[in-house]
Amino acid sequence: MLKIDKDKCTGCGECEEVCAFGAISIKDDVAEIDHDTCTLCGTCVDTCPSGALEIESKKEEQKILDKDNWRGVWVIAEFRSGRLFPVTFELLGCARKLADKLDVPLSAVLIGNNVKDFASELIKYGADQIYIVDHPNLAQFLEIPYTNVLVELIKRYKPEIILAGATAQGRSYIPAVATILETGLTADCTELDVRIEDRALLQTRPAFGGNLLATIVCPNHRPQMATVRPHVMKALEPDDSREGEIIEVKIDESLFETSTKLLESTVEEQTGVDLANADIIITAGRGMESKENLSLVEELAKLLDGAVGATRAVTDAGWLSERHQIGQTGKTVSPKLYVGCGVSGAIQHIVGMKGSDIIVAINKDPDAPIFDVSTYGIVGDVKEVLPKLIEKIKKEKGL
Amino acid sequence: MRFVVCIKQVPDAANVRFDPEKGTLIREGVEAMINPFDLNAIEAAVQLKEQLGGEVVCITMGPPQAESALRDALALGVDSAVLLSDRAFAGADTLATTRTLAAGIKKLGGADIVFCGKQAIDGDTAQVGPGLAARLGLNYATCISELEFIKDTNCLKVKRAWEEGYDILEIKLPALVTVLTCINTPRVPSLKGKLKAKKANIPVWGAKDLGLDTSLVGLSGSPTQVVTTCVPKFEAKKEMLEGDVEEKVDTLLNRLKEAGIL
């Protein structure tokens, strides 16, 4: 329950303002809490300048008895369509730092069929050990066998930290793994660190549509599990001289059984440039005003060999497909150059593109929030600026 | 057949903005609503019921006022609704939430198919659906864009999206699916539906009714804890380009050339 120390409360109202649920109101210069509305999110506790708020937990400090038996950092490799997904290398880059800080080995888990040859890749990118479960029944990803295998590995080897990609695959079975193990799982982390004193994984993720960043811990349960958004962490440069140990794990085949059948698996032809891997992204926002005007964005993208991105307003309006969407509910991108055309800069969009090297914003409204995050800002009408930009680039290129 | 839809009442996140100067959330005009993804879950369940017969039950875990989300669901063709509400449920993370929802579904007598939205827009975790499936021991598939019941095999044939394509899966009932928005277009509530929703009796089940130990639900039953929250800070070397359109564009091109981009 959220408790208030009425002697400390000054009635300043800071808590009332930060509460996203409207659970606090100031009455007679003291904060009053509506306990039915309060979700115990804790935002107010951190905000209160006088330390008058506290979340009282009934929970005894239930230390798990064998917490010290859990050691090591794991990355769950994502193998699909005959290749390792890039997020695996990003996870290894981030996990390497965590493992070094904790002074433990970094292990990767590789599940599939005929995947042994890929173990060396994982070592090059930072893993010390590879646990391989290789079996024809694991050739295709299916939730239940993959869940069973991972649960079995975790119970056997007891790692303290497990990272997986917040991809379609990771998001589909990692929550099942955490539930079976009755441990915590933090989704879509954008920053990870460890607190040495208690070896806690500090997991930071956007909350409330990116309006807040919340740092989450899992103090009394092991393993500590997190999924990480693709394109947020940086992979290490591959090092051919690194050495590692490959451990082939035999698992009871009954764990591979499932009544679910995979009838068909299709890789769709990717239309246009792959947003996630593009060096240059030209993004259309609501300020483009109409679907017709998007031709300007498309022309500029084509000229610069870039990809076309979109804000949610644009995909919701049906001007572009959801595949183009950048932001909290879309993709996270970090190109060398991002150009926002008529993009206002809602926080949900900004969390998906703030990692770009150079951000250029073109917007009529000088107060548009996108200017706060941009490297270069142009206040102006996209319908005038873009044609001029296109014309000049064409001239430079001798077109 | 019994179809159970799990929904969540959320603040309208699209309208939550933050005040960068004060570093606080602006809630004005923000209303509680059914998580938009859950509307597609409701629609998918109601459509299947219309085709196969049976009943659609909607459940949610939330504060007493989450009842209004259930009434909205009833207006959309859901047959009955149950509210899982108890002070002890507050502050639940996804693990504790699945425990409460699973207990609710068991008390209903189980389900042939459980429907969830892809994720909730306030937390965006997408963890409750698959976690709930694991807890109930159901076959499941996430991010479904098409769904068809195959009577002969008592299976659902589903199209499951992933980054670079899709899979067609056949999953045996009982099963759980989480649905994408492209699976259907949620209907608008009918007048008849609204009237029914207004009159409906919505039972409220607390921890005791569900036979749940209060130390295993809500904040007490949640392994994860939020330690700090902060408003994201973005640092940018901001340069507003001056002059007329011609000059602004020239300066931009020069800057991009200096950076080696053009």
Side-chain angles (χ1 to χ4, degrees):
Chain A
M1 209 159 85
L2 179 61
K3 280 190 68 175
I4 176 147
D5 184 336
K6 292 197 170 160
D7 295 332
K8 284 189 188 165
C9 177
T10 60
C12 70
E14 296 266 335
C15 53
E16 183 180 15
E17 281 186 45
V18 296
C19 179
F21 304 94
I24 307 181
S25 51
I26 305 294
K27 289 205 181 109
D28 301 327
D29 289 333
V30 172
E32 199 173 276
I33 301 146
D34 175 358
H35 292 287
D36 287 333
T37 315
C38 170
T39 67
L40 302 177
C41 73
T43 308
C44 56
V45 178
D46 293 328
T47 309
C48 179
S50 39
L53 290 159
E54 189 192 356
I55 290 179
E56 191 191 45
S57 172
K58 270 183 255 165
K59 181 161 43 182
E60 312 275 309
E61 277 301 300
Q62 33 164 280
K63 299 257 183 279
I64 59 163
L65 293 173
D66 65 340
K67 198 161 138 181
D68 291 340
N69 294 336
W70 297 76
R71 282 290 180 269
V73 178
W74 279 17
V75 162
I76 312 305
E78 184 157 341
F79 185 83
R80 201 156 180 158
S81 310
R83 69 185 177 95
L84 286 163
F85 266 43
V87 69
T88 304
F89 305 123
E90 297 162 19
L91 292 172
L92 286 170
C94 163
R96 184 71 258 171
K97 286 182 205 134
L98 304 179
D100 289 344
K101 247 177 139 168
L102 292 169
D103 195 21
V104 289
L106 168 58
S107 312
V109 173
L110 183 54
I111 303 171
N113 184 36
N114 293 327
V115 290
K116 284 173 209 147
D117 292 348
F118 294 88
S120 57
E121 282 288 287
L122 298 169
I123 294 170
K124 274 185 220 170
Y125 279 92
D128 301 315
Q129 289 178 327
I130 318 296
Y131 292 106
I132 296 187
V133 183
D134 200 310
H135 194 276
N137 291 5
L138 299 170
Q140 303 285 356
F141 168 73
L142 285 171
E143 280 83 354
I144 288 174
Y146 272 57
T147 299
N148 290 343
V149 168
L150 193 50
V151 167
E152 174 63 24
L153 289 175
I154 294 167
K155 283 184 177 165
R156 219 182 271 186
Y157 297 103
K158 297 188 182 339
E160 62 200 295
I161 290 171
I162 300 178
L163 308 183
T167 57
Q169 182 169 316
R171 289 175 127 210
S172 80
Y173 82 110
I174 300 298
V177 172
T179 304
I180 293 168
L181 295 168
E182 297 281 0
T183 192
L185 171 63
T186 305
D188 273 352
C189 296
T190 52
E191 269 177 68
L192 291 168
D193 200 355
V194 285
R195 192 166 59 197
I196 298 295
E197 310 92 89
D198 59 350
R199 306 177 78 84
L201 179 65
L202 302 172
Q203 311 159 91
T204 301
R205 72 182 303 266
F208 301 116
N211 287 291
L212 285 175
L213 285 173
T215 300
I216 293 162
V217 292
C218 175
N220 300 319
H221 295 69
R222 289 293 176 274
Q224 307 169 82
M225 299 178 66
T227 62
V228 179
R229 298 200 79 161
H231 305 289
V232 173
M233 306 296 177
K234 294 259 183 274
L236 301 171
E237 285 300 317
D239 177 354
D240 290 334
S241 67
R242 286 198 87 249
E243 284 178 18
E245 183 190 3
I246 294 172
I247 304 159
E248 280 191 59
V249 186
K250 289 277 164 276
I251 284 194
D252 185 351
E253 290 190 12
S254 68
L255 294 179
F256 306 153
E257 283 165 20
T258 175
S259 60
T260 300
K261 287 193 192 108
L262 180 70
L263 304 180
E264 184 190 329
S265 189
T266 305
V267 177
E268 281 176 325
E269 188 104 2
Q270 300 293 305
T271 47
V273 185
D274 179 9
L275 254 194
N277 297 312
D279 281 337
I280 295 179
I281 297 177
I282 315 297
T283 301
R286 200 200 302 262
M288 290 306 299
E289 291 175 13
S290 73
K291 190 172 178 174
E292 289 66 42
N293 290 340
L294 290 194
S295 60
L296 290 169
V297 170
E298 280 157 0
E299 191 178 355
L300 181 60
K302 204 172 163 196
L303 208 53
L304 297 174
D305 205 16
V308 174
T311 62
R312 186 163 182 180
V314 166
T315 54
D316 278 356
W319 297 350
L320 282 168
S321 82
E322 278 181 26
R323 282 190 187 272
H324 293 272
Q325 193 183 315
I326 294 169
Q328 175 79 3
T329 47
K331 295 191 173 72
T332 303
V333 298
S334 47
K336 293 197 174 93
L337 173 64
Y338 166 102
V339 182
C341 309
V343 174
S344 64
I347 188 76
Q348 292 91 335
H349 181 69
I350 289 176
V351 294
M353 49 62 88
K354 67 178 165 52
S356 311
D357 293 346
I358 295 180
I359 295 172
V360 176
I362 307 166
N363 201 303
K364 269 200 292 218
D365 175 7
D367 297 324
I370 189 152
F371 289 123
D372 295 336
V373 301
S374 55
T375 327
Y376 304 115
I378 293 180
V379 177
D381 187 338
V382 282
K383 297 194 297 294
E384 287 169 23
V385 178
L386 286 178
K388 187 59 84 184
L389 193 58
I390 290 166
E391 179 199 313
K392 290 197 181 257
I393 294 173
K394 273 186 174 167
K395 215 165 161 188
E396 296 257 346
K397 294 200 164 194
L399 293 169
Chain B
M1 287 245 207
R2 184 187 287 119
F3 309 109
V4 174
V5 190
C6 301
I7 67 167
K8 184 177 187 186
Q9 189 180 51
V10 295
D12 185 353
N15 292 321
V16 178
R17 289 172 301 129
F18 85 101
D19 181 334
E21 270 162 38
K22 283 200 219 146
T24 57
L25 292 176
I26 304 168
R27 273 187 302 106
E28 241 164 274
V30 176
E31 291 191 6
M33 60 180 188
I34 297 182
N35 173 44
F37 291 105
D38 299 346
L39 293 173
N40 300 90
I42 292 170
E43 180 65 28
V46 171
Q47 280 184 14
L48 211 55
K49 180 204 100 168
E50 285 168 350
Q51 187 196 329
L52 304 173
E55 56 163 345
V56 179
V57 188
C58 201
I59 67 168
T60 191
M61 181 189 87
Q65 60 270 27
E67 191 200 270
S68 71
L70 291 171
R71 291 206 189 273
D72 291 347
L74 286 162
L76 294 168
V78 166
D79 298 300
S80 62
V82 179
L83 173 62
L84 310 179
S85 189
D86 195 311
R87 287 262 174 96
F89 296 159
D93 69 0
T94 58
L95 190 86
T97 302
T98 61
R99 194 176 281 122
T100 303
L101 288 175
I105 292 171
K106 279 186 191 151
K107 191 173 160 74
L108 284 171
D112 295 290
I113 307 175
V114 179
F115 293 83
C116 302
K118 178 196 167 200
Q119 64 198 57
I121 57 162
D122 56 347
D124 281 318
T125 72
Q127 288 178 178
V128 170
L132 182 59
R135 209 175 271 292
L136 291 168
L138 302 176
N139 295 314
Y140 71 99
T142 56
C143 297
I144 296 309
S145 61
E146 285 173 26
L147 170 152
E148 184 192 345
F149 177 67
I150 312 287
K151 206 177 160 209
D152 297 344
T153 50
N154 196 36
C155 280
L156 277 181
K157 189 173 162 188
V158 299
K159 183 172 175 180
R160 179 252 307 272
W162 58 287
E163 285 79 4
E164 296 179 351
Y166 61 86
D167 292 340
I168 307 287
L169 299 168
E170 209 174 73
I171 51 177
K172 231 183 182 55
L173 302 194
L176 178 147
V177 289
T178 77
V179 304
L180 297 177
T181 47
C182 58
I183 194 169
N184 54 39
T185 308
R187 65 195 65 191
V188 284
S190 64
L191 189 61
K192 205 177 124 200
K194 279 185 187 165
L195 285 171
K196 186 188 76 177
K198 215 171 160 185
K199 284 188 292 188
N201 171 41
I202 298 179
V204 182
W205 295 343
K208 220 178 202 169
D209 304 300
L210 297 173
L212 287 169
D213 178 341
T214 52
S215 71
L216 295 176
V217 296
L219 190 68
S220 310
S222 298
T224 61
Q225 294 173 6
V226 176
V227 281
T228 52
T229 54
C230 66
V231 173
K233 291 200 174 37
F234 305 111
E235 284 163 33
K237 277 189 285 175
K238 185 167 71 165
E239 181 187 351
M240 297 302 283
L241 308 182
E242 303 294 337
D244 61 17
V245 172
E246 185 96 25
E247 287 164 330
K248 285 175 182 167
V249 167
D250 281 337
T251 317
L252 177 63
L253 289 175
N254 284 333
R255 296 284 186 275
L256 295 182
K257 271 188 231 160
E258 285 160 22
I261 288 200
L262 291 182

